[in-house]
Amino acid sequence: MDWYEHVFELIDLRSFSNLWFWIVLALIWSSTSHWVLGIPWDLAQRARRNQDAAGVQDFHDLVRINTNRILFIMDETGLLLSGFLCFVLTVLALLGFVYNNEFSQAVFLLLFPLSLIGLLSLRTAQKIKSNGLQGEALFKALTRHRLATQVIGMIAIFVTAIWGMWQNMNIGALG
C-alpha cells in the first residue's frame, strides 16, 4: 500500500500544493516568453545583432509563415475557436470558483492568461501583415509583443501564487 500512496501523492489533483503544478506553470511561461509568435527569441536576437543576409531572411520568412498561419487559423475557425475557448474558460471558472474545485481553479489560472496571449498574438500578427513590417520595425513590434507577454506572465504567476497560498492556508494542505 505504501507504493500506491506514493504514486497517488505524485499525481494528486490538489494542484496548488503539488510541485508538478508549479513546474508546469514555470515551463509554460518560460516557453511562452521564449517563442514570440512561434519564433524563437534567440533567433530574432541573433538576426538583429548579426545582420547577416541569410539570418535576417530566415527570420523574416519565419515571421511571414507564422503570421500567415495565425491569421489563416483565425479566418477559418476564429469564431468557433473563440466560442469553444469561452465555453471552456466559463466551465473552469464556475467549477473552480463557484463549486470550489481546486483542479479547475489551477487550469483556469493557466489557460486564462494564455488566452490573453493568444489575442495579443493575433493583434500583433494583424499589425505585421497589414503594415508590412520589415527590419527594425518588425523587431520593435516583436519586442513589444514579448514585453507584453512577460508582463502578463508576471501578473499571472503572481496571482496564481497568491491564490495558491490562500488555498493552501485555508485547506491546511501544508500542516
Side-chain angles (χ1 to χ4, degrees):
M1 289 300 270
D2 192 36
W3 184 78
Y4 286 118
E5 288 176 18
H6 290 303
V7 169
F8 287 122
E9 183 178 317
L10 187 66
I11 57 173
D12 187 13
L13 290 181
R14 282 190 354 250
S15 302
F16 299 116
S17 61
N18 194 329
L19 179 63
W20 292 109
F21 172 76
W22 298 105
I23 292 171
V24 166
L25 181 73
L27 287 175
I28 283 175
W29 285 110
S30 175
S31 62
T32 301
S33 176
H34 178 70
W35 292 87
V36 179
L37 290 183
I39 298 128
W41 186 247
D42 61 318
L43 180 88
Q45 289 297 96
R46 199 167 40 246
R48 186 180 204 176
R49 189 174 41 247
N50 294 342
Q51 292 294 327
D52 65 330
V56 171
Q57 185 60 41
D58 289 345
F59 170 70
H60 281 96
D61 289 342
L62 272 175
V63 170
R64 180 183 50 78
I65 290 167
N66 286 327
T67 298
N68 288 339
R69 187 179 128 262
I70 290 169
L71 294 175
F72 175 76
I73 290 170
M74 280 298 126
D75 287 342
E76 293 297 316
T77 64
L79 187 60
L80 184 64
L81 190 62
S82 297
F84 181 71
L85 180 65
C86 288
F87 171 74
V88 168
L89 288 174
T90 301
V91 167
L92 288 171
L94 288 173
L95 286 174
F97 300 105
V98 175
Y99 292 106
N100 208 23
N101 181 308
E102 186 174 325
F103 183 73
S104 298
Q105 291 173 0
V107 175
F108 178 83
L109 289 172
L110 287 173
L111 289 183
F112 180 71
L114 289 176
S115 66
L116 297 178
I117 300 298
L119 290 173
L120 181 66
S121 296
L122 178 62
R123 192 183 106 215
T124 303
Q126 287 172 336
K127 181 179 174 183
I128 289 170
K129 180 87 171 184
S130 65
N131 295 339
L133 298 181
Q134 295 283 322
E136 193 60 34
L138 179 61
F139 289 122
K140 209 179 265 191
L142 290 178
T143 300
R144 276 194 301 271
H145 177 85
R146 184 169 189 249
L147 181 63
T149 298
Q150 289 175 332
V151 168
I152 291 170
M154 285 188 303
I155 293 169
I157 290 170
F158 179 76
V159 168
T160 303
I162 295 298
W163 185 259
M165 284 187 281
W166 177 257
Q167 289 296 102
N168 286 336
M169 287 176 13
N170 277 345
I171 292 173
L174 298 178

